[in-house]
Amino acid sequence: MAKTPKDIWIDEAMESATGINRATPPDTLFRKIEQKVSGTVAYARTVPLRTVSLAAASIVLLVVLNVYMLRNTAKRKQKNQVSQVETLVDYYGLNDNGINF
């Protein structure tokens, strides 16, 4: 198969890169980069104790409020429970003598 001019140009460009040494940075540059990266990661991982304690206090407060509200709701439902017969009597206006007009 004959090579087109484009293929010949690609082959020449690839062959021109042979024998080129890989670029290497100075040793001091690599150490400086490592120091900067390690310094920022250690700082980003720490959380102040005040923030953690405020978050814990907020969670405890929410749990206590939820329990309080659930207990009050259950007590109110127990007080307000009316049988279905009493509900029908009140709705239709019935009493012991019959219908109220």
Side-chain angles (χ1 to χ4, degrees):
M1 180 158 118
K3 289 189 173 186
T4 62
K6 183 178 178 182
D7 291 332
I8 295 171
W9 179 81
I10 292 172
D11 289 338
E12 287 175 356
M14 294 300 288
E15 287 175 11
S16 69
T18 57
I20 295 177
N21 294 333
R22 185 174 182 178
T24 55
D27 292 334
T28 57
L29 178 65
F30 185 68
R31 284 189 206 118
K32 287 180 183 178
I33 293 171
E34 280 185 333
Q35 288 174 352
K36 285 185 179 182
V37 169
S38 66
T40 57
V41 171
Y43 177 72
R45 289 185 180 175
T46 59
V47 178
L49 181 61
R50 182 177 180 191
T51 304
V52 174
S53 60
L54 286 175
S58 299
I59 291 170
V60 169
L61 180 66
L62 286 174
V63 169
V64 169
L65 285 174
N66 281 331
V67 169
Y68 175 75
M69 293 302 292
L70 285 173
R71 285 189 178 185
N72 280 347
T73 304
K75 287 179 184 177
R76 259 190 257 134
K77 281 187 180 180
Q78 287 176 356
K79 290 179 183 177
N80 295 335
Q81 280 185 346
V82 180
S83 69
Q84 292 178 354
V85 174
E86 290 176 359
T87 306
L88 285 174
V89 168
D90 289 341
Y91 182 76
Y92 289 110
L94 301 174
N95 61 15
D96 294 335
N97 300 330
I99 299 175
N100 285 337
F101 289 104

